Amino acid sequence: MLLLVVGHERNSSLHLAEYRATYPTKRIAQQGAPIRTSGARTWTIFEYIDLDASDFEHIGDDFVNSEAGNMTHHGKVGLADCQLMPQREIVVFAVDWIEVYSAK
């Protein structure tokens, strides 16, 4: 995963960790939308996680300073600062982080 000109506060891969993690403050919300099925338009209700990126910068900093974070490469693309890291590792790290720190 490449973060180009942004930090972990904009790391949308961490939202995947929010979906995968189990934590007491996880809020499930419902939303509706018109969906076309079998040629007919029907109103469909679906559930989603009420996402919260407020801890993403902390998660990212802790990841970069962890053993798994040693695989993060910092550099430039043109004049833009960037970070390149393995997506699977940061998502797994973030799931664990959220489960520990969101329980407090």
PDB file of all heavy atoms in Angstrom, residues 1 3 7-23 26-28 48-57 59-60 87 90-95 98:
ATOM      1  N   MET A   1       0.846  -1.154   0.000  1.00  0.00           N
ATOM      2  CA  MET A   1       0.000   0.000   0.000  1.00  0.00           C
ATOM      3  C   MET A   1       0.900   1.229   0.000  1.00  0.00           C
ATOM      4  O   MET A   1       1.905   1.272   0.699  1.00  0.00           O
ATOM      5  CB  MET A   1      -0.893  -0.002   1.223  1.00  0.00           C
ATOM      6  CG  MET A   1      -1.693   1.227   1.306  1.00  0.00           C
ATOM      7  SD  MET A   1      -2.592   1.434   2.818  1.00  0.00           S
ATOM      8  CE  MET A   1      -1.355   1.168   4.018  1.00  0.00           C
ATOM      9  N   LEU A   3       1.029   5.298   0.612  1.00  0.00           N
ATOM     10  CA  LEU A   3       0.444   6.555   1.073  1.00  0.00           C
ATOM     11  C   LEU A   3       1.241   7.665   0.401  1.00  0.00           C
ATOM     12  O   LEU A   3       2.431   7.814   0.648  1.00  0.00           O
ATOM     13  CB  LEU A   3       0.538   6.684   2.594  1.00  0.00           C
ATOM     14  CG  LEU A   3      -0.263   5.680   3.410  1.00  0.00           C
ATOM     15  CD1 LEU A   3      -0.025   5.923   4.904  1.00  0.00           C
ATOM     16  CD2 LEU A   3      -1.739   5.762   3.095  1.00  0.00           C
ATOM     17  N   GLY A   7      -0.820  11.072   5.455  1.00  0.00           N
ATOM     18  CA  GLY A   7      -0.428  10.203   6.557  1.00  0.00           C
ATOM     19  C   GLY A   7      -1.489   9.149   6.805  1.00  0.00           C
ATOM     20  O   GLY A   7      -2.451   8.999   6.043  1.00  0.00           O
ATOM     21  N   HIS A   8      -1.348   8.449   7.894  1.00  0.00           N
ATOM     22  CA  HIS A   8      -2.268   7.367   8.215  1.00  0.00           C
ATOM     23  C   HIS A   8      -3.681   7.865   8.531  1.00  0.00           C
ATOM     24  O   HIS A   8      -4.627   7.080   8.485  1.00  0.00           O
ATOM     25  CB  HIS A   8      -1.723   6.533   9.373  1.00  0.00           C
ATOM     26  CG  HIS A   8      -0.543   5.724   8.969  1.00  0.00           C
ATOM     27  ND1 HIS A   8      -0.663   4.554   8.264  1.00  0.00           N
ATOM     28  CD2 HIS A   8       0.772   5.925   9.145  1.00  0.00           C
ATOM     29  CE1 HIS A   8       0.530   4.053   8.029  1.00  0.00           C
ATOM     30  NE2 HIS A   8       1.420   4.878   8.550  1.00  0.00           N
ATOM     31  N   GLU A   9      -3.841   9.146   8.818  1.00  0.00           N
ATOM     32  CA  GLU A   9      -5.188   9.658   9.066  1.00  0.00           C
ATOM     33  C   GLU A   9      -6.069   9.519   7.821  1.00  0.00           C
ATOM     34  O   GLU A   9      -7.284   9.541   7.911  1.00  0.00           O
ATOM     35  CB  GLU A   9      -5.153  11.117   9.543  1.00  0.00           C
ATOM     36  CG  GLU A   9      -4.845  12.142   8.472  1.00  0.00           C
ATOM     37  CD  GLU A   9      -3.378  12.271   8.075  1.00  0.00           C
ATOM     38  OE1 GLU A   9      -2.521  11.617   8.693  1.00  0.00           O
ATOM     39  OE2 GLU A   9      -3.078  13.045   7.134  1.00  0.00           O
ATOM     40  N   ARG A  10      -5.456   9.324   6.673  1.00  0.00           N
ATOM     41  CA  ARG A  10      -6.176   9.130   5.407  1.00  0.00           C
ATOM     42  C   ARG A  10      -6.003   7.707   4.869  1.00  0.00           C
ATOM     43  O   ARG A  10      -6.324   7.441   3.722  1.00  0.00           O
ATOM     44  CB  ARG A  10      -5.671  10.115   4.352  1.00  0.00           C
ATOM     45  CG  ARG A  10      -5.884  11.548   4.723  1.00  0.00           C
ATOM     46  CD  ARG A  10      -7.301  11.961   4.372  1.00  0.00           C
ATOM     47  NE  ARG A  10      -7.461  13.378   4.619  1.00  0.00           N
ATOM     48  CZ  ARG A  10      -8.373  13.874   5.417  1.00  0.00           C
ATOM     49  NH1 ARG A  10      -9.203  13.078   6.038  1.00  0.00           N
ATOM     50  NH2 ARG A  10      -8.475  15.156   5.600  1.00  0.00           N
ATOM     51  N   ASN A  11      -5.518   6.801   5.690  1.00  0.00           N
ATOM     52  CA  ASN A  11      -5.251   5.423   5.272  1.00  0.00           C
ATOM     53  C   ASN A  11      -6.560   4.630   5.286  1.00  0.00           C
ATOM     54  O   ASN A  11      -6.972   4.087   6.303  1.00  0.00           O
ATOM     55  CB  ASN A  11      -4.219   4.785   6.206  1.00  0.00           C
ATOM     56  CG  ASN A  11      -3.805   3.414   5.764  1.00  0.00           C
ATOM     57  OD1 ASN A  11      -4.458   2.787   4.961  1.00  0.00           O
ATOM     58  ND2 ASN A  11      -2.708   2.943   6.319  1.00  0.00           N
ATOM     59  N   SER A  12      -7.218   4.554   4.153  1.00  0.00           N
ATOM     60  CA  SER A  12      -8.527   3.900   4.094  1.00  0.00           C
ATOM     61  C   SER A  12      -8.447   2.397   4.336  1.00  0.00           C
ATOM     62  O   SER A  12      -9.457   1.769   4.653  1.00  0.00           O
ATOM     63  CB  SER A  12      -9.220   4.199   2.761  1.00  0.00           C
ATOM     64  OG  SER A  12      -8.433   3.730   1.691  1.00  0.00           O
ATOM     65  N   SER A  13      -7.265   1.802   4.240  1.00  0.00           N
ATOM     66  CA  SER A  13      -7.119   0.377   4.564  1.00  0.00           C
ATOM     67  C   SER A  13      -7.442   0.111   6.029  1.00  0.00           C
ATOM     68  O   SER A  13      -7.841  -1.004   6.388  1.00  0.00           O
ATOM     69  CB  SER A  13      -5.699  -0.105   4.275  1.00  0.00           C
ATOM     70  OG  SER A  13      -5.449  -0.073   2.900  1.00  0.00           O
ATOM     71  N   LEU A  14      -7.289   1.113   6.862  1.00  0.00           N
ATOM     72  CA  LEU A  14      -7.579   0.928   8.282  1.00  0.00           C
ATOM     73  C   LEU A  14      -9.081   0.800   8.539  1.00  0.00           C
ATOM     74  O   LEU A  14      -9.487   0.248   9.561  1.00  0.00           O
ATOM     75  CB  LEU A  14      -6.958   2.057   9.101  1.00  0.00           C
ATOM     76  CG  LEU A  14      -5.429   2.141   8.999  1.00  0.00           C
ATOM     77  CD1 LEU A  14      -4.896   3.292   9.840  1.00  0.00           C
ATOM     78  CD2 LEU A  14      -4.774   0.835   9.378  1.00  0.00           C
ATOM     79  N   HIS A  15      -9.916   1.256   7.603  1.00  0.00           N
ATOM     80  CA  HIS A  15     -11.351   1.029   7.745  1.00  0.00           C
ATOM     81  C   HIS A  15     -11.668  -0.462   7.632  1.00  0.00           C
ATOM     82  O   HIS A  15     -12.588  -0.951   8.286  1.00  0.00           O
ATOM     83  CB  HIS A  15     -12.149   1.811   6.705  1.00  0.00           C
ATOM     84  CG  HIS A  15     -12.185   3.276   6.958  1.00  0.00           C
ATOM     85  ND1 HIS A  15     -12.653   3.826   8.139  1.00  0.00           N
ATOM     86  CD2 HIS A  15     -11.810   4.329   6.188  1.00  0.00           C
ATOM     87  CE1 HIS A  15     -12.573   5.140   8.081  1.00  0.00           C
ATOM     88  NE2 HIS A  15     -12.062   5.464   6.903  1.00  0.00           N
ATOM     89  N   LEU A  16     -10.903  -1.180   6.828  1.00  0.00           N
ATOM     90  CA  LEU A  16     -11.078  -2.635   6.747  1.00  0.00           C
ATOM     91  C   LEU A  16     -10.837  -3.262   8.120  1.00  0.00           C
ATOM     92  O   LEU A  16     -11.579  -4.165   8.535  1.00  0.00           O
ATOM     93  CB  LEU A  16     -10.129  -3.232   5.706  1.00  0.00           C
ATOM     94  CG  LEU A  16     -10.117  -4.755   5.585  1.00  0.00           C
ATOM     95  CD1 LEU A  16     -11.497  -5.301   5.261  1.00  0.00           C
ATOM     96  CD2 LEU A  16      -9.099  -5.173   4.531  1.00  0.00           C
ATOM     97  N   ALA A  17      -9.833  -2.773   8.823  1.00  0.00           N
ATOM     98  CA  ALA A  17      -9.566  -3.275  10.178  1.00  0.00           C
ATOM     99  C   ALA A  17     -10.740  -2.990  11.095  1.00  0.00           C
ATOM    100  O   ALA A  17     -11.083  -3.820  11.945  1.00  0.00           O
ATOM    101  CB  ALA A  17      -8.285  -2.642  10.727  1.00  0.00           C
ATOM    102  N   GLU A  18     -11.386  -1.829  10.951  1.00  0.00           N
ATOM    103  CA  GLU A  18     -12.568  -1.519  11.764  1.00  0.00           C
ATOM    104  C   GLU A  18     -13.674  -2.545  11.531  1.00  0.00           C
ATOM    105  O   GLU A  18     -14.347  -2.969  12.463  1.00  0.00           O
ATOM    106  CB  GLU A  18     -13.122  -0.139  11.412  1.00  0.00           C
ATOM    107  CG  GLU A  18     -12.335   1.018  11.941  1.00  0.00           C
ATOM    108  CD  GLU A  18     -13.028   2.321  11.626  1.00  0.00           C
ATOM    109  OE1 GLU A  18     -12.926   2.794  10.473  1.00  0.00           O
ATOM    110  OE2 GLU A  18     -13.696   2.861  12.530  1.00  0.00           O
ATOM    111  N   TYR A  19     -13.857  -2.945  10.283  1.00  0.00           N
ATOM    112  CA  TYR A  19     -14.878  -3.945   9.974  1.00  0.00           C
ATOM    113  C   TYR A  19     -14.511  -5.303  10.563  1.00  0.00           C
ATOM    114  O   TYR A  19     -15.375  -6.020  11.064  1.00  0.00           O
ATOM    115  CB  TYR A  19     -15.067  -4.078   8.457  1.00  0.00           C
ATOM    116  CG  TYR A  19     -16.105  -3.138   7.919  1.00  0.00           C
ATOM    117  CD1 TYR A  19     -15.759  -1.855   7.501  1.00  0.00           C
ATOM    118  CD2 TYR A  19     -17.433  -3.517   7.830  1.00  0.00           C
ATOM    119  CE1 TYR A  19     -16.711  -0.980   7.006  1.00  0.00           C
ATOM    120  CE2 TYR A  19     -18.397  -2.653   7.335  1.00  0.00           C
ATOM    121  CZ  TYR A  19     -18.031  -1.389   6.933  1.00  0.00           C
ATOM    122  OH  TYR A  19     -18.990  -0.524   6.460  1.00  0.00           O
ATOM    123  N   ARG A  20     -13.238  -5.665  10.509  1.00  0.00           N
ATOM    124  CA  ARG A  20     -12.814  -6.990  10.962  1.00  0.00           C
ATOM    125  C   ARG A  20     -12.691  -7.106  12.479  1.00  0.00           C
ATOM    126  O   ARG A  20     -12.833  -8.183  13.026  1.00  0.00           O
ATOM    127  CB  ARG A  20     -11.472  -7.348  10.327  1.00  0.00           C
ATOM    128  CG  ARG A  20     -11.592  -7.602   8.845  1.00  0.00           C
ATOM    129  CD  ARG A  20     -10.272  -8.037   8.262  1.00  0.00           C
ATOM    130  NE  ARG A  20     -10.435  -8.399   6.862  1.00  0.00           N
ATOM    131  CZ  ARG A  20      -9.448  -8.748   6.077  1.00  0.00           C
ATOM    132  NH1 ARG A  20      -8.220  -8.826   6.545  1.00  0.00           N
ATOM    133  NH2 ARG A  20      -9.677  -9.063   4.816  1.00  0.00           N
ATOM    134  N   ALA A  21     -12.408  -6.015  13.150  1.00  0.00           N
ATOM    135  CA  ALA A  21     -12.158  -6.049  14.600  1.00  0.00           C
ATOM    136  C   ALA A  21     -13.457  -6.219  15.379  1.00  0.00           C
ATOM    137  O   ALA A  21     -14.528  -5.798  14.952  1.00  0.00           O
ATOM    138  CB  ALA A  21     -11.459  -4.763  15.041  1.00  0.00           C
ATOM    139  N   THR A  22     -13.310  -6.834  16.546  1.00  0.00           N
ATOM    140  CA  THR A  22     -14.413  -6.949  17.489  1.00  0.00           C
ATOM    141  C   THR A  22     -14.079  -6.077  18.686  1.00  0.00           C
ATOM    142  O   THR A  22     -13.047  -6.288  19.331  1.00  0.00           O
ATOM    143  CB  THR A  22     -14.579  -8.420  17.939  1.00  0.00           C
ATOM    144  OG1 THR A  22     -14.803  -9.218  16.774  1.00  0.00           O
ATOM    145  CG2 THR A  22     -15.728  -8.563  18.901  1.00  0.00           C
ATOM    146  N   TYR A  23     -14.927  -5.092  18.958  1.00  0.00           N
ATOM    147  CA  TYR A  23     -14.667  -4.181  20.067  1.00  0.00           C
ATOM    148  C   TYR A  23     -15.988  -3.627  20.581  1.00  0.00           C
ATOM    149  O   TYR A  23     -16.963  -3.532  19.847  1.00  0.00           O
ATOM    150  CB  TYR A  23     -13.704  -3.060  19.651  1.00  0.00           C
ATOM    151  CG  TYR A  23     -14.111  -2.288  18.423  1.00  0.00           C
ATOM    152  CD1 TYR A  23     -14.729  -1.049  18.537  1.00  0.00           C
ATOM    153  CD2 TYR A  23     -13.858  -2.778  17.139  1.00  0.00           C
ATOM    154  CE1 TYR A  23     -15.097  -0.333  17.409  1.00  0.00           C
ATOM    155  CE2 TYR A  23     -14.224  -2.073  16.016  1.00  0.00           C
ATOM    156  CZ  TYR A  23     -14.836  -0.855  16.154  1.00  0.00           C
ATOM    157  OH  TYR A  23     -15.203  -0.145  15.031  1.00  0.00           O
ATOM    158  N   LYS A  26     -18.022  -0.630  18.891  1.00  0.00           N
ATOM    159  CA  LYS A  26     -18.364  -0.753  17.465  1.00  0.00           C
ATOM    160  C   LYS A  26     -19.848  -0.474  17.294  1.00  0.00           C
ATOM    161  O   LYS A  26     -20.686  -1.069  17.960  1.00  0.00           O
ATOM    162  CB  LYS A  26     -18.031  -2.161  16.993  1.00  0.00           C
ATOM    163  CG  LYS A  26     -18.159  -2.387  15.511  1.00  0.00           C
ATOM    164  CD  LYS A  26     -17.728  -3.825  15.197  1.00  0.00           C
ATOM    165  CE  LYS A  26     -17.231  -3.980  13.812  1.00  0.00           C
ATOM    166  NZ  LYS A  26     -16.732  -5.342  13.569  1.00  0.00           N
ATOM    167  N   ARG A  27     -20.164   0.476  16.419  1.00  0.00           N
ATOM    168  CA  ARG A  27     -21.552   0.858  16.202  1.00  0.00           C
ATOM    169  C   ARG A  27     -22.007   0.421  14.810  1.00  0.00           C
ATOM    170  O   ARG A  27     -21.380   0.768  13.811  1.00  0.00           O
ATOM    171  CB  ARG A  27     -21.708   2.364  16.349  1.00  0.00           C
ATOM    172  CG  ARG A  27     -21.479   2.841  17.770  1.00  0.00           C
ATOM    173  CD  ARG A  27     -21.802   4.314  17.937  1.00  0.00           C
ATOM    174  NE  ARG A  27     -21.266   5.137  16.873  1.00  0.00           N
ATOM    175  CZ  ARG A  27     -20.251   5.987  17.022  1.00  0.00           C
ATOM    176  NH1 ARG A  27     -19.668   6.135  18.198  1.00  0.00           N
ATOM    177  NH2 ARG A  27     -19.819   6.696  16.009  1.00  0.00           N
ATOM    178  N   ILE A  28     -23.066  -0.345  14.807  1.00  0.00           N
ATOM    179  CA  ILE A  28     -23.675  -0.779  13.553  1.00  0.00           C
ATOM    180  C   ILE A  28     -24.814   0.186  13.244  1.00  0.00           C
ATOM    181  O   ILE A  28     -25.648   0.476  14.096  1.00  0.00           O
ATOM    182  CB  ILE A  28     -24.233  -2.217  13.664  1.00  0.00           C
ATOM    183  CG1 ILE A  28     -23.166  -3.191  14.179  1.00  0.00           C
ATOM    184  CG2 ILE A  28     -24.823  -2.684  12.337  1.00  0.00           C
ATOM    185  CD1 ILE A  28     -21.989  -3.388  13.281  1.00  0.00           C
ATOM    186  N   TYR A  48     -24.086  -1.171   8.077  1.00  0.00           N
ATOM    187  CA  TYR A  48     -22.688  -0.795   7.884  1.00  0.00           C
ATOM    188  C   TYR A  48     -22.117  -0.373   9.231  1.00  0.00           C
ATOM    189  O   TYR A  48     -22.838  -0.115  10.185  1.00  0.00           O
ATOM    190  CB  TYR A  48     -22.543   0.311   6.842  1.00  0.00           C
ATOM    191  CG  TYR A  48     -23.105   1.647   7.275  1.00  0.00           C
ATOM    192  CD1 TYR A  48     -22.277   2.644   7.784  1.00  0.00           C
ATOM    193  CD2 TYR A  48     -24.470   1.908   7.202  1.00  0.00           C
ATOM    194  CE1 TYR A  48     -22.797   3.856   8.193  1.00  0.00           C
ATOM    195  CE2 TYR A  48     -24.996   3.117   7.605  1.00  0.00           C
ATOM    196  CZ  TYR A  48     -24.154   4.076   8.095  1.00  0.00           C
ATOM    197  OH  TYR A  48     -24.668   5.282   8.503  1.00  0.00           O
ATOM    198  N   ILE A  49     -20.816  -0.312   9.297  1.00  0.00           N
ATOM    199  CA  ILE A  49     -20.122   0.131  10.504  1.00  0.00           C
ATOM    200  C   ILE A  49     -20.049   1.649  10.474  1.00  0.00           C
ATOM    201  O   ILE A  49     -19.691   2.242   9.452  1.00  0.00           O
ATOM    202  CB  ILE A  49     -18.694  -0.451  10.570  1.00  0.00           C
ATOM    203  CG1 ILE A  49     -18.717  -1.966  10.487  1.00  0.00           C
ATOM    204  CG2 ILE A  49     -17.953   0.022  11.808  1.00  0.00           C
ATOM    205  CD1 ILE A  49     -19.379  -2.652  11.634  1.00  0.00           C
ATOM    206  N   ASP A  50     -20.373   2.279  11.585  1.00  0.00           N
ATOM    207  CA  ASP A  50     -20.203   3.721  11.719  1.00  0.00           C
ATOM    208  C   ASP A  50     -18.699   3.966  11.895  1.00  0.00           C
ATOM    209  O   ASP A  50     -18.152   3.759  12.972  1.00  0.00           O
ATOM    210  CB  ASP A  50     -21.004   4.228  12.920  1.00  0.00           C
ATOM    211  CG  ASP A  50     -21.046   5.733  12.974  1.00  0.00           C
ATOM    212  OD1 ASP A  50     -20.622   6.397  12.009  1.00  0.00           O
ATOM    213  OD2 ASP A  50     -21.485   6.258  14.009  1.00  0.00           O
ATOM    214  N   LEU A  51     -18.034   4.329  10.816  1.00  0.00           N
ATOM    215  CA  LEU A  51     -16.570   4.412  10.790  1.00  0.00           C
ATOM    216  C   LEU A  51     -16.041   5.605  11.581  1.00  0.00           C
ATOM    217  O   LEU A  51     -16.685   6.648  11.674  1.00  0.00           O
ATOM    218  CB  LEU A  51     -16.091   4.492   9.339  1.00  0.00           C
ATOM    219  CG  LEU A  51     -16.501   3.307   8.464  1.00  0.00           C
ATOM    220  CD1 LEU A  51     -16.156   3.576   7.009  1.00  0.00           C
ATOM    221  CD2 LEU A  51     -15.846   2.031   8.945  1.00  0.00           C
ATOM    222  N   ASP A  52     -14.841   5.433  12.127  1.00  0.00           N
ATOM    223  CA  ASP A  52     -14.214   6.473  12.943  1.00  0.00           C
ATOM    224  C   ASP A  52     -12.708   6.429  12.715  1.00  0.00           C
ATOM    225  O   ASP A  52     -12.030   5.509  13.152  1.00  0.00           O
ATOM    226  CB  ASP A  52     -14.526   6.227  14.425  1.00  0.00           C
ATOM    227  CG  ASP A  52     -13.848   7.219  15.346  1.00  0.00           C
ATOM    228  OD1 ASP A  52     -13.336   8.256  14.863  1.00  0.00           O
ATOM    229  OD2 ASP A  52     -13.832   6.971  16.558  1.00  0.00           O
ATOM    230  N   ALA A  53     -12.181   7.415  12.034  1.00  0.00           N
ATOM    231  CA  ALA A  53     -10.759   7.458  11.711  1.00  0.00           C
ATOM    232  C   ALA A  53      -9.931   8.218  12.746  1.00  0.00           C
ATOM    233  O   ALA A  53      -8.747   8.454  12.537  1.00  0.00           O
ATOM    234  CB  ALA A  53     -10.566   8.096  10.333  1.00  0.00           C
ATOM    235  N   SER A  54     -10.507   8.553  13.881  1.00  0.00           N
ATOM    236  CA  SER A  54      -9.817   9.414  14.848  1.00  0.00           C
ATOM    237  C   SER A  54      -8.543   8.787  15.412  1.00  0.00           C
ATOM    238  O   SER A  54      -7.644   9.523  15.838  1.00  0.00           O
ATOM    239  CB  SER A  54     -10.765   9.823  15.976  1.00  0.00           C
ATOM    240  OG  SER A  54     -11.207   8.687  16.699  1.00  0.00           O
ATOM    241  N   ASP A  55      -8.423   7.471  15.442  1.00  0.00           N
ATOM    242  CA  ASP A  55      -7.213   6.820  15.966  1.00  0.00           C
ATOM    243  C   ASP A  55      -6.232   6.399  14.875  1.00  0.00           C
ATOM    244  O   ASP A  55      -5.194   5.810  15.171  1.00  0.00           O
ATOM    245  CB  ASP A  55      -7.586   5.570  16.780  1.00  0.00           C
ATOM    246  CG  ASP A  55      -8.185   5.903  18.126  1.00  0.00           C
ATOM    247  OD1 ASP A  55      -7.859   6.983  18.668  1.00  0.00           O
ATOM    248  OD2 ASP A  55      -8.970   5.091  18.645  1.00  0.00           O
ATOM    249  N   PHE A  56      -6.537   6.667  13.629  1.00  0.00           N
ATOM    250  CA  PHE A  56      -5.712   6.152  12.533  1.00  0.00           C
ATOM    251  C   PHE A  56      -4.264   6.621  12.597  1.00  0.00           C
ATOM    252  O   PHE A  56      -3.340   5.868  12.300  1.00  0.00           O
ATOM    253  CB  PHE A  56      -6.320   6.510  11.182  1.00  0.00           C
ATOM    254  CG  PHE A  56      -7.497   5.670  10.790  1.00  0.00           C
ATOM    255  CD1 PHE A  56      -8.112   4.811  11.691  1.00  0.00           C
ATOM    256  CD2 PHE A  56      -8.007   5.735   9.503  1.00  0.00           C
ATOM    257  CE1 PHE A  56      -9.208   4.040  11.328  1.00  0.00           C
ATOM    258  CE2 PHE A  56      -9.090   4.968   9.123  1.00  0.00           C
ATOM    259  CZ  PHE A  56      -9.691   4.115  10.030  1.00  0.00           C
ATOM    260  N   GLU A  57      -4.047   7.876  12.972  1.00  0.00           N
ATOM    261  CA  GLU A  57      -2.668   8.375  13.057  1.00  0.00           C
ATOM    262  C   GLU A  57      -1.893   7.624  14.147  1.00  0.00           C
ATOM    263  O   GLU A  57      -0.734   7.259  13.960  1.00  0.00           O
ATOM    264  CB  GLU A  57      -2.653   9.878  13.308  1.00  0.00           C
ATOM    265  CG  GLU A  57      -1.314  10.534  13.024  1.00  0.00           C
ATOM    266  CD  GLU A  57      -0.875  10.423  11.562  1.00  0.00           C
ATOM    267  OE1 GLU A  57      -1.705  10.505  10.649  1.00  0.00           O
ATOM    268  OE2 GLU A  57       0.342  10.241  11.348  1.00  0.00           O
ATOM    269  N   ILE A  59      -2.575   4.546  15.241  1.00  0.00           N
ATOM    270  CA  ILE A  59      -2.375   3.183  14.745  1.00  0.00           C
ATOM    271  C   ILE A  59      -1.195   3.153  13.780  1.00  0.00           C
ATOM    272  O   ILE A  59      -0.323   2.288  13.874  1.00  0.00           O
ATOM    273  CB  ILE A  59      -3.651   2.652  14.059  1.00  0.00           C
ATOM    274  CG1 ILE A  59      -4.783   2.497  15.070  1.00  0.00           C
ATOM    275  CG2 ILE A  59      -3.375   1.320  13.359  1.00  0.00           C
ATOM    276  CD1 ILE A  59      -6.152   2.227  14.450  1.00  0.00           C
ATOM    277  N   GLY A  60      -1.160   4.089  12.861  1.00  0.00           N
ATOM    278  CA  GLY A  60      -0.063   4.148  11.883  1.00  0.00           C
ATOM    279  C   GLY A  60       1.296   4.358  12.532  1.00  0.00           C
ATOM    280  O   GLY A  60       2.273   3.695  12.174  1.00  0.00           O
ATOM    281  N   GLN A  87       0.133  -4.029   2.869  1.00  0.00           N
ATOM    282  CA  GLN A  87      -1.235  -3.763   3.309  1.00  0.00           C
ATOM    283  C   GLN A  87      -1.737  -4.823   4.286  1.00  0.00           C
ATOM    284  O   GLN A  87      -2.363  -4.496   5.294  1.00  0.00           O
ATOM    285  CB  GLN A  87      -2.159  -3.680   2.102  1.00  0.00           C
ATOM    286  CG  GLN A  87      -3.575  -3.285   2.467  1.00  0.00           C
ATOM    287  CD  GLN A  87      -4.435  -3.082   1.254  1.00  0.00           C
ATOM    288  OE1 GLN A  87      -4.200  -3.686   0.211  1.00  0.00           O
ATOM    289  NE2 GLN A  87      -5.426  -2.231   1.375  1.00  0.00           N
ATOM    290  N   ILE A  90      -0.411  -4.215   7.878  1.00  0.00           N
ATOM    291  CA  ILE A  90      -0.962  -3.089   8.626  1.00  0.00           C
ATOM    292  C   ILE A  90      -2.418  -3.339   9.003  1.00  0.00           C
ATOM    293  O   ILE A  90      -2.858  -2.946  10.090  1.00  0.00           O
ATOM    294  CB  ILE A  90      -0.784  -1.729   7.912  1.00  0.00           C
ATOM    295  CG1 ILE A  90      -1.101  -0.606   8.908  1.00  0.00           C
ATOM    296  CG2 ILE A  90      -1.600  -1.638   6.653  1.00  0.00           C
ATOM    297  CD1 ILE A  90      -0.643   0.754   8.512  1.00  0.00           C
ATOM    298  N   VAL A  91      -3.178  -4.033   8.167  1.00  0.00           N
ATOM    299  CA  VAL A  91      -4.566  -4.337   8.513  1.00  0.00           C
ATOM    300  C   VAL A  91      -4.605  -5.294   9.704  1.00  0.00           C
ATOM    301  O   VAL A  91      -5.361  -5.080  10.658  1.00  0.00           O
ATOM    302  CB  VAL A  91      -5.339  -4.901   7.300  1.00  0.00           C
ATOM    303  CG1 VAL A  91      -6.704  -5.432   7.724  1.00  0.00           C
ATOM    304  CG2 VAL A  91      -5.505  -3.823   6.231  1.00  0.00           C
ATOM    305  N   VAL A  92      -3.789  -6.343   9.690  1.00  0.00           N
ATOM    306  CA  VAL A  92      -3.738  -7.289  10.814  1.00  0.00           C
ATOM    307  C   VAL A  92      -3.316  -6.564  12.091  1.00  0.00           C
ATOM    308  O   VAL A  92      -3.911  -6.749  13.153  1.00  0.00           O
ATOM    309  CB  VAL A  92      -2.788  -8.468  10.497  1.00  0.00           C
ATOM    310  CG1 VAL A  92      -2.494  -9.294  11.733  1.00  0.00           C
ATOM    311  CG2 VAL A  92      -3.375  -9.332   9.396  1.00  0.00           C
ATOM    312  N   PHE A  93      -2.292  -5.723  11.988  1.00  0.00           N
ATOM    313  CA  PHE A  93      -1.830  -4.941  13.135  1.00  0.00           C
ATOM    314  C   PHE A  93      -2.961  -4.055  13.663  1.00  0.00           C
ATOM    315  O   PHE A  93      -3.207  -3.976  14.865  1.00  0.00           O
ATOM    316  CB  PHE A  93      -0.623  -4.081  12.730  1.00  0.00           C
ATOM    317  CG  PHE A  93      -0.086  -3.238  13.846  1.00  0.00           C
ATOM    318  CD1 PHE A  93       0.907  -3.729  14.678  1.00  0.00           C
ATOM    319  CD2 PHE A  93      -0.558  -1.950  14.070  1.00  0.00           C
ATOM    320  CE1 PHE A  93       1.415  -2.956  15.721  1.00  0.00           C
ATOM    321  CE2 PHE A  93      -0.065  -1.174  15.111  1.00  0.00           C
ATOM    322  CZ  PHE A  93       0.925  -1.681  15.934  1.00  0.00           C
ATOM    323  N   ALA A  94      -3.671  -3.392  12.753  1.00  0.00           N
ATOM    324  CA  ALA A  94      -4.735  -2.466  13.149  1.00  0.00           C
ATOM    325  C   ALA A  94      -5.902  -3.189  13.812  1.00  0.00           C
ATOM    326  O   ALA A  94      -6.489  -2.669  14.768  1.00  0.00           O
ATOM    327  CB  ALA A  94      -5.218  -1.666  11.939  1.00  0.00           C
ATOM    328  N   VAL A  95      -6.241  -4.385  13.348  1.00  0.00           N
ATOM    329  CA  VAL A  95      -7.310  -5.159  13.994  1.00  0.00           C
ATOM    330  C   VAL A  95      -6.938  -5.407  15.448  1.00  0.00           C
ATOM    331  O   VAL A  95      -7.733  -5.167  16.364  1.00  0.00           O
ATOM    332  CB  VAL A  95      -7.574  -6.490  13.253  1.00  0.00           C
ATOM    333  CG1 VAL A  95      -8.435  -7.420  14.098  1.00  0.00           C
ATOM    334  CG2 VAL A  95      -8.227  -6.239  11.908  1.00  0.00           C
ATOM    335  N   ILE A  98      -7.003  -2.058  17.464  1.00  0.00           N
ATOM    336  CA  ILE A  98      -8.374  -1.611  17.753  1.00  0.00           C
ATOM    337  C   ILE A  98      -9.008  -2.459  18.838  1.00  0.00           C
ATOM    338  O   ILE A  98      -9.665  -1.934  19.741  1.00  0.00           O
ATOM    339  CB  ILE A  98      -9.218  -1.639  16.462  1.00  0.00           C
ATOM    340  CG1 ILE A  98      -8.739  -0.544  15.488  1.00  0.00           C
ATOM    341  CG2 ILE A  98     -10.696  -1.473  16.761  1.00  0.00           C
ATOM    342  CD1 ILE A  98      -9.288  -0.666  14.078  1.00  0.00           C
TER     343      ILE A  98
END
